[in-house]
């Protein structure tokens, strides 16, 4: 029998998230997180789901990603799920930036590694860590296919009119300046799951996907293909996020440099880490912001109103881009759990066919569900995202062709 398991790795600069899935039914056999790699206070939390066992935690120094993955392998082995298992078909890696080079999942070889490395200037926080995870996994299982699944790949179907910035073409091309988009595995998964919820194929429906977490992005998906998305060259553009500003006038940067005396690095930190909700009100947790609003906190209310205003602008813009919208799907931490955000985002948009049913919107659950009134012209849905399953599915489909 052919191997059916896929290990999904999401390697960050100081962390590794992982899940082991059985692709016969998409079930999770184990999952875990290694965090604070390189520190004395490193921690590994491992949960053996297949055995129904309790989570295990290890604390103590984990020097680097090599040591982290070896520790993960040891924990998996304790449950009979080790990396040396003949049932392991491949390892799928989340890679944030694939540029224009990678439009689909790709089996990693030296040329692929070199191109991911070449893209580091446009993803300096993410691609180096992704590369480290791939190389470490290669060293542990050199005989096993390593598959890169790119956050940007789903958005490579955008037409040039949506992907290009209106700057000098030669300069843009020389420095690979264009709109790439991110959260692609989530947008791909949720757009398909929304079509399934409606009892239709992805090719039949137009969906606006709203991925609302600490990072947030919107996409316009026409017949299963992305035609526009809110993030751009980097994940900074677009919606108001937990710590990122989203859209700003580019001249704000010049103004802060010339008048504020700030360096480029200081402005970068401001816009990426000290802006968005946390910059507006000091909190980036939507639950805390809503609590403060209920207590009459005006600063929290203003932050919420700015967040919703930007979100509604993108819903309207993508409605215009698509021409016909069959569904709006909310996903990720805020999108799946914050009923007030969903209600506020579509409030007053009845003329566009958008509305939510208060009772349905208040229901919490782990399954895709409609929250729009019966007979609504446009379905409004909550669709929990599953990026790990998407990565595993794409990985398994690819290695099955070899």
């Amino acid at each position: 029998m052919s191997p059916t398991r896929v290990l999904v790795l999401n390697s960050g600069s100081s962390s590794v998230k992982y899940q082991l899935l059985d692709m016969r039914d998409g079930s999770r056999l184990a999952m875990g997180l290694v965090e604070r790699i390189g520190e004395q206070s490193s921690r590994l939390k491992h949960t053996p789901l297949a055995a129904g066992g309790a989570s295990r935690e290890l604390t103590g120094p984990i020097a680097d990603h090599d040591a982290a993955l070896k520790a993960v392998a040891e924990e998996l082995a304790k449950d009979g799920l080790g990396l040396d298992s003949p049932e392991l078909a491949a390892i799928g890696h989340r890679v944030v930036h694939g540029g224009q080079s990678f439009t689909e999942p790709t089996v990693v070889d030296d040329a692929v590694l070199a191109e991911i490395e070449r893209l580091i200037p446009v993803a300096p926080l993410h691609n180096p860590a992704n590369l480290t995870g791939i190389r470490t996994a290669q060293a542990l299982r050199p005989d096993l296919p390593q598959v890169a699944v790119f956050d940007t790949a789903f958005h490579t179907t955008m037409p040039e009119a949506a992907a290009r910035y209106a700057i000098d073409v030669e300069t843009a091309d020389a420095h690979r300046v264009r709109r790439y988009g991110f959260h692609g595995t989530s947008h791909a998964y949720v757009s398909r799951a929304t079509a399934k919820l409606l009892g239709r194929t992805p090719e039949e429906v137009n969906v606006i996907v709203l991925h609302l977490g600490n990072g947030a992005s919107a996409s316009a998906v026409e017949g299963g293909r992305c035609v526009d998305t809110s993030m751009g060259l980097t994940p900074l553009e677009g919606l108001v996020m937990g710590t990122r500003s989203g859209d700003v006038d580019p001249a704000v940067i010049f103004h802060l440099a010339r008048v504020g005396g700030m360096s480029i690095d200081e402005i970068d930190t401001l816009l990426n880490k000290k802006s968005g909700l946390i910059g507006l009100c000091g909190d980036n947790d939507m639950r805390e912001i809503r609590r403060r609003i209920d207590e009459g906190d005006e600063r929290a209310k203003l932050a919420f109103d700015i967040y919703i205003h930007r979100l509604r602008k993108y819903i309207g813009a993508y409605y215009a881009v698509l021409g016909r919208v069959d569904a709006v799907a909310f996903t990720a931490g805020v999108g799946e759990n914050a009923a007030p955000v969903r209600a506020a985002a579509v409030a007053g948009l009845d003329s566009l066919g958008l509305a939510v049913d208060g009772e349905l919107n208040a229901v919490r659950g782990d399954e895709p569900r409609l929250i729009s009134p019966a007979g609504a012209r446009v379905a409004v849905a909550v669709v929990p995202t599953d990026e790990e399953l998407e990565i595993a599915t794409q990985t398994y489909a690819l290695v099955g062709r070899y």
Side-chain angles (χ1 to χ4, degrees):
M1 182 177 175
S2 300
T4 59
R5 294 176 183 172
V6 173
L7 177 65
V8 175
L9 294 178
N10 182 352
S11 300
S13 58
S14 60
S15 67
V16 175
K17 296 178 185 177
Y18 63 93
Q19 290 193 15
L20 180 66
L21 298 94
D22 189 328
M23 300 315 297
R24 286 176 295 186
D25 57 7
S27 62
R28 287 162 174 76
L29 305 178
M31 63 188 298
L33 167 67
V34 188
E35 57 186 349
R36 298 192 291 273
I37 296 171
E39 300 180 20
Q40 292 298 308
S41 58
S42 305
R43 183 178 77 112
L44 189 162
K45 182 177 181 180
H46 174 83
T47 304
L49 298 167
S55 297
R56 304 190 292 268
E57 286 196 27
L58 302 175
T59 57
I62 296 177
D64 51 29
H65 283 71
D66 182 62
L69 280 184
K70 286 179 179 176
V72 169
E74 289 174 7
E75 291 305 307
L76 288 168
K78 291 176 184 177
D79 305 311
L81 303 169
L83 264 62
D84 59 350
S85 169
E87 296 182 66
L88 190 60
I91 299 178
H93 299 265
R94 179 198 180 209
V95 179
V96 167
H97 216 309
Q100 291 178 270
S101 305
F102 300 108
T103 61
E104 58 186 16
T106 305
V107 174
V108 174
D109 57 20
D110 289 344
V112 171
L113 286 172
E115 183 62 16
I116 295 172
E117 188 164 16
R118 193 177 72 86
L119 288 163
I120 285 176
V122 290
L125 298 178
H126 298 98
N127 275 30
N130 302 154
L131 278 168
T132 298
I134 294 171
R135 287 171 171 147
T136 300
Q138 283 181 320
L140 289 174
R141 279 297 304 267
D143 59 313
L144 204 65
Q146 310 284 333
V147 176
V149 179
F150 299 90
D151 268 13
T152 50
F154 182 64
H155 304 303
T156 58
T157 55
M158 284 193 295
E160 285 293 278
R164 284 224 176 241
Y165 292 109
I167 66 172
D168 174 69
V169 172
E170 286 73 20
T171 301
D173 290 348
H175 300 286
R176 300 189 295 279
V177 176
R178 62 188 286 117
R179 305 185 64 253
Y180 295 100
F182 299 89
H183 295 145
T185 51
S186 177
H187 287 281
Y189 177 86
V190 171
S191 59
R192 286 203 316 275
T194 302
K196 182 178 180 181
L197 180 65
L198 299 180
R200 301 164 72 180
T201 67
E203 293 74 22
E204 294 177 300
V205 298
N206 292 352
V207 185
I208 298 173
V209 178
L210 303 171
H211 177 109
L212 308 179
N214 192 50
S217 61
S219 67
V221 183
E222 182 179 53
R225 293 166 58 86
C226 177
V227 294
D228 207 347
T229 192
S230 58
M231 288 179 167
L233 173 71
T234 75
L236 181 58
E237 186 181 355
L239 302 176
V240 175
M241 305 177 221
T243 67
R244 299 180 197 137
S245 64
D247 294 337
V248 295
D249 179 348
V252 168
I253 297 168
F254 314 143
H255 179 80
L256 292 175
R258 292 168 182 158
V259 178
M262 296 177 68
S263 69
I264 291 297
D265 287 344
E266 287 173 332
I267 299 171
D268 189 313
T269 299
L270 171 71
L271 296 180
N272 277 291
K273 298 180 179 180
K274 297 181 179 180
S275 295
L277 292 172
I278 205 162
L280 290 167
C281 71
D283 272 310
N284 63 335
D285 187 321
M286 188 58 73
R287 293 165 297 187
E288 181 64 16
I289 291 171
R290 291 301 309 177
R291 184 193 66 77
R292 288 171 55 184
I293 291 172
D294 291 341
E295 293 178 353
D297 189 315
E298 289 298 320
R299 192 173 166 191
K301 183 178 184 305
L302 177 60
F304 183 82
D305 289 347
I306 293 170
Y307 182 94
I308 294 298
H309 180 77
R310 186 79 55 82
L311 186 55
R312 287 163 61 87
K313 281 177 65 175
Y314 269 91
I315 292 172
Y318 287 170
Y319 208 117
V321 166
L322 291 169
R324 187 198 83 243
V325 175
D326 299 295
V328 174
F330 290 87
T331 193
V334 175
E336 294 170 27
N337 297 299
V341 168
R342 299 192 295 260
V346 301
L349 300 182
D350 307 71
S351 62
L352 298 180
L354 289 166
V356 299
D357 178 288
E359 290 186 7
L360 293 175
N361 191 34
V363 173
R364 298 177 69 91
D366 297 326
E367 296 299 320
R369 60 195 185 277
L370 294 176
I371 59 172
S372 44
R377 180 154 49 94
V378 178
V380 180
V382 179
V383 180
T385 192
D386 198 333
E387 294 176 85
E388 290 77 16
L389 178 59
E390 180 69 18
I391 291 170
T393 300
Q394 292 189 28
T395 296
Y396 191 64
L398 180 60
V399 299
R401 299 203 293 263
Y402 282 74

